[in-house]
Structures are given as C-alpha cells and as structure tokens.
Amino acid sequence: EEEAVVAEVEGLDARKVALQRELQQVEIALNKSKMRYKEMVATHQKKQQQDYVDNEALRTATLALQREADCTKDELAALVAWQSFLDWVKEVGEQHGAEQATMAAASVQRLAESYLVSALSHLAVKTEEAGKLKERVTFCSKEITEVRRKIT
C-alpha cells in the first residue's frame, strides 16, 4: 500500500510539474498577446493623431488656395471694371468729335496700357504664387499618403 501512495504522489508531482510548465507557456502567450494589443492601440492612436494633423494641414492649404482664388477673382473684377470705364470713355470721346475722340482715345490707351501691364504683372506673380502653393499642397498630400501607407 505504501508503494501505491508513493506512486500516486509521484504521479501527482509529475502532473503538477507538467501543469506548471503549461501555465508558464500560457502566461508567455498571454503577455505576448497583451503586448500586441498595446502596440495596436498605440498604432491606432498615432494614426488618429497623424490623420488630425494631416487634415488640419490640408484644411489650411485649402483655405490658402481659396484666399488666392478670391484675390484672383477680385483682380479680374477690377480689370472688368476698368474695361467698362475705358469703353465708356471711348463712347464719350466718340460723341464729342473725331479729333477729340482720337486724343482721348490715345490718352486712354496709354493709361490702359500702363494699367494692364501693371495688372498683368501682378496677376503673373499671383498665378506663380498659386502654382507654388498648389505644388506644396500636392507634395503634402503625397507625404500624407506615404505616412498613412507606412502606418497601416
């Protein structure tokens, strides 16, 4: 009977050792799963923060483009108003005789040419600025896409 009890104790000890090994493996697997979960949460938070920054950058760039477009529209409206004024001056000049009309037309033409050269120069600068801004927005958009690709 003593041998049976000793065998039972040895069997239970062996089972205990096996269960302790299995418990260790379960704890290791559990710790790995917890770490993966923490990494996933951290990655998700980083992605959300990056999305916020990206969206803010795009919003800012879009507002800048809109301001540039509004300025260009205003400049175009000024040119249209100037053209209307020139048409009116021409009409008035035509009503007061050919000689006066010719002198008025020449004077107006010089003024118009001067204004248009200045306006076109200004418009060219604004167009170049808008092009550069568009390039920056395009670059930022590509960078955002690349960062998002790397995150996911």
Side-chain angles (χ1 to χ4, degrees):
E1 185 169 316
E2 185 177 327
E3 288 177 12
V5 172
V6 168
E8 185 180 346
V9 168
E10 287 175 355
L12 289 173
D13 277 340
R15 186 168 176 219
K16 177 183 168 186
V17 169
L19 288 172
Q20 285 174 336
R21 281 189 206 129
E22 186 178 346
L23 178 60
Q24 251 181 346
Q25 290 172 349
V26 168
E27 286 176 344
I28 289 170
L30 178 62
N31 287 335
K32 286 181 181 179
S33 293
K34 285 180 181 179
M35 290 302 293
R36 277 197 324 266
Y37 177 73
K38 286 180 183 178
E39 288 172 0
M40 288 172 58
V41 168
T43 299
H44 180 69
Q45 288 174 341
K46 284 181 187 176
K47 186 177 185 297
Q48 282 183 323
Q49 289 171 346
Q50 188 62 46
D51 285 349
Y52 176 79
V53 169
D54 295 346
N55 290 338
E56 190 62 24
L58 284 175
R59 188 182 71 76
T60 301
T62 301
L63 289 174
L65 277 175
Q66 185 60 49
R67 281 192 299 273
E68 284 295 321
D70 291 344
C71 286
T72 302
K73 287 177 187 174
D74 292 343
E75 291 162 358
L76 182 60
L79 288 173
V80 168
W82 182 250
Q83 182 64 47
S84 295
F85 172 72
L86 293 177
D87 290 343
W88 175 79
V89 168
K90 180 181 174 190
E91 199 175 293
V92 168
E94 288 172 351
Q95 291 174 358
H96 289 90
E99 187 177 317
Q100 286 181 343
T102 302
M103 288 177 10
S107 178
V108 167
Q109 184 175 357
R110 283 191 303 278
L111 285 172
E113 286 173 358
S114 174
Y115 177 79
L116 289 175
V117 165
S118 175
L120 288 174
S121 174
H122 180 70
L123 190 58
V125 169
K126 290 298 184 181
T127 301
E128 185 178 334
E129 288 174 0
K132 288 179 182 177
L133 184 58
K134 180 184 176 217
E135 288 174 9
R136 287 193 299 259
V137 169
T138 301
F139 174 79
C140 288
S141 177
K142 288 178 183 176
E143 288 296 310
I144 289 168
T145 301
E146 182 64 21
V147 168
R148 284 183 177 160
R149 186 187 62 77
K150 287 179 181 178
I151 289 174
T152 55

